[in-house]
Amino acid sequence: MSRKLTENNGAGWAFAAPSILLIGLFIILPFFLAIAFSLTDQRLISPNATRYVGAENYRDLLGLNVIKLEPETADDGTLARDKDGNLEYPRVRSLTRSDDYPQYRGMREWFRVHAGDTAYVVVARDVVFMRALVNTLIFVAVTAPVQAGLALGLALLINQRLRGVNVFRAVFFMPVVVSIVVVSLLWRFIYDGNDGLLNALLSGLTFGLFQPVDWLGNTHTALGSIIAMSIWQAVGFHMVIWLAGLQTIPPTLYEAAAIEGSSKWQTFRYVTWPGLRNTAVLVLVVITMQAFAVFAQIDVMTKGGPLDSTQTLVFQAVERGYGRQDISGGSTISVVLFVLVLAISLAQRYFTRERN
């Protein structure tokens, strides 16, 4: 018996060997190489030898500080104001370039908040990375619940026994089979600020009252426009997962609920949703990981602009690693992204665990 099991295991390992080899070469090995490169100053093409720098790359990426600024005073003792009547503050660069404040050396202003007349300026060693980090978190925070909710709604609709429902299933799933690069190119034309389809549609619906907006060229609308497109493009994929979960719920439970006279909301709350528990965990984890990996739509539609308003972590990792040939910088961002995704995935798994 034991010999038979050994032979079977040997055949299994032989079948699995090519996959294990490829996973090791293209996933596990690059991961450990990224950790190693993040501790060096490795560049793609450099005449200098690679040097071990320890955690310097991480300090350059994550370095933050807060500067407290008091308003300047005029010669007569009153608070100095500019021509617009705003209070004048010392220049941040006078502190970040001064030898008297080595803790601010090399930092740039990220943003500032005011408390009364006092200004608190948050300075960072890498402002672009911080914007990419915040944009990625916003992207995940909006995309994950909205996309999962829309996909569940669509799955509930197409799970009905209606004539022609297969047509709706095909229509909703169609964007998934189209390459994200092609979709991004199409939506770039839709978002065009001059003669884009979205501006024309909104202008027509408001009888010309709506003023055209450069959706991808405006810092206030660029990231939101990409989020909307990304939700639309992938909602069909998660709709299919929800639909598969819905069809595993025994029909007898719905029949019992109908006999008990439960409303549609009560049926959803006490029959459908408990039956979708494992599916919900899967959908949320998949959407979260996909949202953290957003890259193609950024690369095609905005290149991270305008004014870094659509920078993301993966786009920054690729842009630094290959665009600037800074392998150590790109590897450091990849490791930070891995830790972030791992922490959020574990937190999701903890909060959605099954309780007795």
Side-chain angles (χ1 to χ4, degrees), residues 181-197:
V181 175
V182 176
V183 171
S184 299
L185 287 172
L186 291 175
W187 277 76
R188 198 170 68 179
F189 292 116
I190 293 175
Y191 283 140
D192 189 278
N194 296 320
D195 53 356
L197 177 62

mmCIF file of all heavy atoms in Angstrom, residues 181-197:
data_model
loop_
_atom_site.group_PDB
_atom_site.id
_atom_site.type_symbol
_atom_site.label_atom_id
_atom_site.label_comp_id
_atom_site.label_asym_id
_atom_site.label_seq_id
_atom_site.Cartn_x
_atom_site.Cartn_y
_atom_site.Cartn_z
ATOM 1 N N VAL A 181 -5.845 47.323 -22.163
ATOM 2 C CA VAL A 181 -5.188 48.361 -22.957
ATOM 3 C C VAL A 181 -6.160 48.928 -23.993
ATOM 4 O O VAL A 181 -6.271 50.154 -24.175
ATOM 5 C CB VAL A 181 -3.936 47.792 -23.648
ATOM 6 C CG1 VAL A 181 -3.312 48.834 -24.572
ATOM 7 C CG2 VAL A 181 -2.923 47.323 -22.607
ATOM 8 N N VAL A 182 -6.913 48.047 -24.649
ATOM 9 C CA VAL A 182 -7.892 48.505 -25.635
ATOM 10 C C VAL A 182 -8.995 49.308 -24.949
ATOM 11 O O VAL A 182 -9.405 50.369 -25.433
ATOM 12 C CB VAL A 182 -8.477 47.292 -26.385
ATOM 13 C CG1 VAL A 182 -9.567 47.742 -27.351
ATOM 14 C CG2 VAL A 182 -7.391 46.535 -27.130
ATOM 15 N N VAL A 183 -9.470 48.800 -23.819
ATOM 16 C CA VAL A 183 -10.502 49.520 -23.075
ATOM 17 C C VAL A 183 -10.000 50.902 -22.658
ATOM 18 O O VAL A 183 -10.726 51.903 -22.754
ATOM 19 C CB VAL A 183 -10.928 48.695 -21.845
ATOM 20 C CG1 VAL A 183 -11.834 49.516 -20.942
ATOM 21 C CG2 VAL A 183 -11.626 47.420 -22.280
ATOM 22 N N SER A 184 -8.770 50.974 -22.207
ATOM 23 C CA SER A 184 -8.216 52.265 -21.783
ATOM 24 C C SER A 184 -8.119 53.237 -22.947
ATOM 25 O O SER A 184 -8.401 54.434 -22.789
ATOM 26 C CB SER A 184 -6.824 52.042 -21.176
ATOM 27 O OG SER A 184 -6.897 51.199 -20.052
ATOM 28 N N LEU A 185 -7.743 52.747 -24.115
ATOM 29 C CA LEU A 185 -7.676 53.621 -25.289
ATOM 30 C C LEU A 185 -9.069 54.143 -25.654
ATOM 31 O O LEU A 185 -9.241 55.329 -25.974
ATOM 32 C CB LEU A 185 -7.070 52.858 -26.471
ATOM 33 C CG LEU A 185 -5.565 52.590 -26.399
ATOM 34 C CD1 LEU A 185 -5.131 51.660 -27.517
ATOM 35 C CD2 LEU A 185 -4.785 53.891 -26.473
ATOM 36 N N LEU A 186 -10.071 53.252 -25.616
ATOM 37 C CA LEU A 186 -11.434 53.683 -25.944
ATOM 38 C C LEU A 186 -11.931 54.729 -24.950
ATOM 39 O O LEU A 186 -12.518 55.748 -25.338
ATOM 40 C CB LEU A 186 -12.365 52.473 -25.947
ATOM 41 C CG LEU A 186 -12.158 51.464 -27.075
ATOM 42 C CD1 LEU A 186 -13.059 50.253 -26.879
ATOM 43 C CD2 LEU A 186 -12.433 52.101 -28.418
ATOM 44 N N TRP A 187 -11.678 54.486 -23.660
ATOM 45 C CA TRP A 187 -12.156 55.429 -22.649
ATOM 46 C C TRP A 187 -11.365 56.732 -22.674
ATOM 47 O O TRP A 187 -11.852 57.765 -22.214
ATOM 48 C CB TRP A 187 -12.097 54.795 -21.260
ATOM 49 C CG TRP A 187 -13.313 53.947 -21.005
ATOM 50 C CD1 TRP A 187 -13.562 52.698 -21.507
ATOM 51 C CD2 TRP A 187 -14.464 54.304 -20.236
ATOM 52 N NE1 TRP A 187 -14.781 52.256 -21.086
ATOM 53 C CE2 TRP A 187 -15.353 53.209 -20.283
ATOM 54 C CE3 TRP A 187 -14.812 55.419 -19.485
ATOM 55 C CZ2 TRP A 187 -16.583 53.217 -19.633
ATOM 56 C CZ3 TRP A 187 -16.037 55.432 -18.823
ATOM 57 C CH2 TRP A 187 -16.901 54.336 -18.907
ATOM 58 N N ARG A 188 -10.176 56.699 -23.197
ATOM 59 C CA ARG A 188 -9.450 57.967 -23.332
ATOM 60 C C ARG A 188 -10.149 58.882 -24.330
ATOM 61 O O ARG A 188 -10.196 60.099 -24.141
ATOM 62 C CB ARG A 188 -8.010 57.687 -23.785
ATOM 63 C CG ARG A 188 -7.076 58.862 -23.544
ATOM 64 C CD ARG A 188 -5.647 58.474 -23.762
ATOM 65 N NE ARG A 188 -5.344 58.182 -25.161
ATOM 66 C CZ ARG A 188 -4.153 57.845 -25.616
ATOM 67 N NH1 ARG A 188 -3.141 57.747 -24.768
ATOM 68 N NH2 ARG A 188 -3.948 57.597 -26.878
ATOM 69 N N PHE A 189 -10.713 58.279 -25.376
ATOM 70 C CA PHE A 189 -11.498 59.077 -26.327
ATOM 71 C C PHE A 189 -12.822 59.519 -25.705
ATOM 72 O O PHE A 189 -13.299 60.631 -25.948
ATOM 73 C CB PHE A 189 -11.753 58.279 -27.598
ATOM 74 C CG PHE A 189 -10.513 58.027 -28.417
ATOM 75 C CD1 PHE A 189 -10.041 56.749 -28.618
ATOM 76 C CD2 PHE A 189 -9.809 59.085 -28.972
ATOM 77 C CE1 PHE A 189 -8.892 56.513 -29.356
ATOM 78 C CE2 PHE A 189 -8.653 58.856 -29.712
ATOM 79 C CZ PHE A 189 -8.197 57.570 -29.901
ATOM 80 N N ILE A 190 -13.417 58.633 -24.897
ATOM 81 C CA ILE A 190 -14.677 59.001 -24.248
ATOM 82 C C ILE A 190 -14.471 60.181 -23.300
ATOM 83 O O ILE A 190 -15.297 61.094 -23.213
ATOM 84 C CB ILE A 190 -15.239 57.783 -23.480
ATOM 85 C CG1 ILE A 190 -15.665 56.695 -24.467
ATOM 86 C CG2 ILE A 190 -16.404 58.192 -22.582
ATOM 87 C CD1 ILE A 190 -16.109 55.408 -23.807
ATOM 88 N N TYR A 191 -13.338 60.195 -22.597
ATOM 89 C CA TYR A 191 -13.050 61.263 -21.619
ATOM 90 C C TYR A 191 -12.433 62.499 -22.265
ATOM 91 O O TYR A 191 -12.102 63.453 -21.538
ATOM 92 C CB TYR A 191 -12.076 60.740 -20.558
ATOM 93 C CG TYR A 191 -12.704 59.842 -19.522
ATOM 94 C CD1 TYR A 191 -12.035 58.715 -19.066
ATOM 95 C CD2 TYR A 191 -13.949 60.138 -18.969
ATOM 96 C CE1 TYR A 191 -12.594 57.889 -18.099
ATOM 97 C CE2 TYR A 191 -14.510 59.309 -18.014
ATOM 98 C CZ TYR A 191 -13.827 58.186 -17.568
ATOM 99 O OH TYR A 191 -14.388 57.386 -16.610
ATOM 100 N N ASP A 192 -12.287 62.524 -23.555
ATOM 101 C CA ASP A 192 -11.610 63.649 -24.207
ATOM 102 C C ASP A 192 -12.284 64.973 -23.833
ATOM 103 O O ASP A 192 -13.516 65.085 -23.825
ATOM 104 C CB ASP A 192 -11.653 63.459 -25.732
ATOM 105 C CG ASP A 192 -10.781 64.470 -26.447
ATOM 106 O OD1 ASP A 192 -11.235 65.622 -26.651
ATOM 107 O OD2 ASP A 192 -9.634 64.133 -26.766
ATOM 108 N N GLY A 193 -11.463 65.973 -23.513
ATOM 109 C CA GLY A 193 -12.014 67.241 -23.047
ATOM 110 C C GLY A 193 -12.633 68.104 -24.122
ATOM 111 O O GLY A 193 -13.395 69.032 -23.817
ATOM 112 N N ASN A 194 -12.335 67.850 -25.396
ATOM 113 C CA ASN A 194 -12.879 68.696 -26.467
ATOM 114 C C ASN A 194 -14.146 68.101 -27.077
ATOM 115 O O ASN A 194 -15.218 68.695 -27.004
ATOM 116 C CB ASN A 194 -11.810 68.897 -27.541
ATOM 117 C CG ASN A 194 -10.605 69.647 -27.002
ATOM 118 O OD1 ASN A 194 -10.761 70.603 -26.229
ATOM 119 N ND2 ASN A 194 -9.412 69.220 -27.373
ATOM 120 N N ASP A 195 -14.005 66.960 -27.695
ATOM 121 C CA ASP A 195 -15.164 66.347 -28.347
ATOM 122 C C ASP A 195 -15.379 64.912 -27.890
ATOM 123 O O ASP A 195 -15.757 64.046 -28.674
ATOM 124 C CB ASP A 195 -14.988 66.400 -29.867
ATOM 125 C CG ASP A 195 -13.654 65.791 -30.298
ATOM 126 O OD1 ASP A 195 -12.864 65.405 -29.416
ATOM 127 O OD2 ASP A 195 -13.412 65.718 -31.516
ATOM 128 N N GLY A 196 -15.134 64.641 -26.615
ATOM 129 C CA GLY A 196 -15.342 63.303 -26.075
ATOM 130 C C GLY A 196 -16.815 62.955 -25.960
ATOM 131 O O GLY A 196 -17.691 63.835 -25.853
ATOM 132 N N LEU A 197 -17.086 61.656 -25.964
ATOM 133 C CA LEU A 197 -18.479 61.192 -25.910
ATOM 134 C C LEU A 197 -19.155 61.581 -24.599
ATOM 135 O O LEU A 197 -20.338 61.948 -24.589
ATOM 136 C CB LEU A 197 -18.503 59.663 -26.084
ATOM 137 C CG LEU A 197 -19.878 58.998 -25.993
ATOM 138 C CD1 LEU A 197 -20.798 59.508 -27.102
ATOM 139 C CD2 LEU A 197 -19.740 57.478 -26.057
#
